[in-house]
Amino acid sequence: MADVPEPLAASARVVVVGGGLAATALVGSLREGGFAGPVTVVEQGGPPHDRPPLTKSYLAGELAPEGLLLRPPQWWGEHDVDLRTASRVGTVARQPDGTFLVEVGADALTADRVVLATGGEPLLPPVPGVEHALTLRDRADADRLRDRLQRDHRLVVVGAGLVGSEVAATATRLGCRVTVVDPVVPLVDVLGTELAVWLHLLHREHGVSLVAERAGLIEPGRVHVPGAVLEADTVLVATGMRPVLPVTAVADAGAGSAALELGLDGTVTVDRYGRTSVPGLLAVGDCSSRGSGGRSAGHWESARLDGESVAAGLLGRTPPERGPSWFWTDRYGHHVEALGTLAAAEHVVTRGTLGQPPFSLFGLAGGTVVAAAGVDDPRAVKVARRLAVSGRPVAAEALADPGQDLRRLLR
């Protein structure tokens, strides 16, 4: 599946199932690339909106709902995109001529290409009583949680990953009494042990109680952990995500059905152009993976680049090569960016003093930058990204020298 696809015909019909960032980037790139054929986006929720602010500015009441929109409401009509919100896809069937029939409510849409962009949903741990907890994935979830976060509200967050930690930081700023329950320090593989521990302990510095245990039982008003019962007005479970797939097989006219190849975590296996094992059916974003092992990165930029890559394939073009995955997180007034996986580096160079922002870390392998992380130091990570993509050798001493203008390393 490595060959560049043939470009879509000008009259080809594209149906995108899902309306998140990957879908929005895909549709926008198609139109920017000159594709003028019919495009339909089927989204089971409301207008496509951004997710990172849900745990931060939106949860804090600092961002209005319209500020979450990925595109202004008029954009879809102006770009001749049929956006169908509050709609669900039923079956997807392939017809003898190779086109698809996509069931959307009482309608059957004909498509030359179908793109699954349905993202993921919260992965609930096997904890008795987990149904009493809230989760956070979309605006409706954030609204439910935001209505509760008043001063002295007791919030117990189960899971200290990005979502759980950002919610804990926002709730603390709103005056809530917050407890975070997680048996491990998150992000060690990505950030390295020292930085991951420093970031995790920021919770304690800002008055959050850290419980290094697993939740054993969730009851209304209580979370049971080994040796203790935690009182809670609200429990939020933030322990990961699982893919959402409206279909795992496509009915094939006269030939039974064609099953999608899935990864170990239930994602659809795709190539760099988003092509699945079923010709004409593509997948993009958090419901997909490039290989049988599962998603390589479930972050904002990864979804955007996925959408742009699939659009390139539909236009008959080769997408640019990607560098290491990149993400950011904001908490307690600090901005953290991470590139690649520091734990996989042969050598880690510290610029500044770890624990005293601003500072940054660079992971080297074979004399080139393969990973980086920065706290309140986005310029350093920006340079690291360019170095990683170029593969240019760099001296560790130059990276470590705070007096060195890192941009000179790009010349």
Side-chain angles (χ1 to χ4, degrees):
M1 292 199 295
D3 55 302
V4 180
E6 290 292 324
L8 288 177
S11 59
R13 298 151 295 185
V14 177
V15 172
V16 182
V17 185
L21 175 61
T24 303
L26 163 64
V27 172
S29 296
L30 281 177
R31 290 303 190 224
E32 290 168 9
F35 178 68
V39 176
T40 301
V41 175
V42 182
E43 164 58 39
Q44 69 178 28
H49 61 274
D50 212 3
R51 299 189 192 278
L54 295 177
T55 56
K56 299 181 280 289
S57 57
Y58 185 76
L59 189 63
E62 300 164 348
L63 183 68
E66 54 268 24
L68 291 172
L69 295 178
L70 288 168
R71 300 286 189 183
Q74 68 274 15
W75 184 91
W76 304 93
E78 290 173 352
H79 290 78
D80 197 24
V81 177
D82 180 11
L83 174 63
R84 302 191 179 196
T85 57
S87 301
R88 291 180 179 270
V89 165
T91 60
V92 176
R94 188 165 54 184
Q95 303 180 96
D97 63 357
T99 62
F100 295 87
L101 279 181
V102 183
E103 180 187 27
V104 182
D107 296 336
L109 307 180
T110 303
D112 297 281
R113 296 290 186 274
V114 176
V115 184
L116 302 180
T118 40
E121 63 184 5
L123 174 64
L124 299 180
V127 176
V130 71
E131 67 273 9
H132 298 301
L134 298 184
T135 56
L136 178 53
R137 179 64 180 165
D138 57 22
R139 177 192 158 191
D141 295 334
D143 287 339
R144 280 188 287 271
L145 180 59
R146 186 169 66 170
D147 289 343
R148 301 186 181 200
L149 298 185
Q150 307 299 321
R151 179 165 294 278
D152 291 328
H153 189 85
R154 297 171 300 178
L155 174 67
V156 173
V157 181
V158 179
L162 294 179
V163 170
S165 288
E166 290 174 0
V167 168
T170 300
T172 299
R173 185 156 60 89
L174 294 173
C176 299
R177 290 184 281 166
V178 182
T179 300
V180 172
V181 178
D182 200 316
V184 300
V185 174
L187 301 176
V188 169
D189 286 347
V190 177
L191 302 179
T193 300
E194 288 185 285
L195 179 53
V197 169
W198 177 84
L199 187 63
H200 188 56
L201 292 181
L202 282 180
H203 290 304
R204 186 171 293 163
E205 290 183 18
H206 289 80
V208 173
S209 297
L210 294 177
V211 178
E213 300 285 359
R214 295 187 184 277
L217 172 66
I218 299 174
E219 297 179 314
R222 296 182 183 85
V223 176
H224 295 253
V225 297
V229 177
L230 309 175
E231 301 295 328
D233 298 306
T234 297
V235 179
L236 175 75
V237 168
T239 51
M241 184 180 64
R242 65 179 182 182
V244 171
L245 291 174
V247 295
T248 56
V250 174
D252 208 336
S257 64
L260 288 166
E261 180 184 338
L262 303 181
L264 297 177
D265 60 355
T267 52
V268 180
T269 302
V270 299
D271 68 0
R272 67 182 303 196
Y273 299 104
R275 293 177 293 188
T276 72
S277 56
V278 176
L281 182 65
L282 301 93
V284 64
D286 287 338
C287 70
S288 67
S289 61
R290 296 187 186 185
S292 61
R295 291 182 302 122
S296 59
H299 304 302
W300 188 93
E301 186 186 58
S302 175
R304 177 180 64 80
L305 293 176
D306 274 359
E308 294 174 357
S309 295
V310 170
L314 293 173
L315 294 168
R317 302 168 186 169
T318 302
E321 293 293 334
R322 299 191 193 183
S325 63
W326 168 82
F327 73 91
W328 79 93
T329 181
D330 295 309
R331 62 187 77 168
Y332 304 116
H334 294 294
H335 177 70
V336 182
E337 295 188 18
L339 176 76
T341 303
L342 278 168
E346 297 171 357
H347 178 51
V348 176
V349 177
T350 302
R351 180 181 177 87
T353 302
L354 195 150
Q356 298 180 22
F359 65 90
S360 51
L361 306 175
F362 299 88
L364 301 177
T368 63
V369 173
V370 295
V375 178
D376 301 332
D377 198 6
R379 179 176 294 180
V381 178
K382 183 177 181 179
V383 171
R385 295 183 76 180
R386 294 178 63 183
L387 289 170
V389 170
S390 70
R392 180 178 303 177
V394 61
E397 296 78 10
L399 292 172
D401 182 5
Q404 170 75 50
D405 184 349
L406 292 176
R407 292 172 295 183
R408 292 187 176 183
L409 302 178
L410 299 170
R411 298 172 186 169

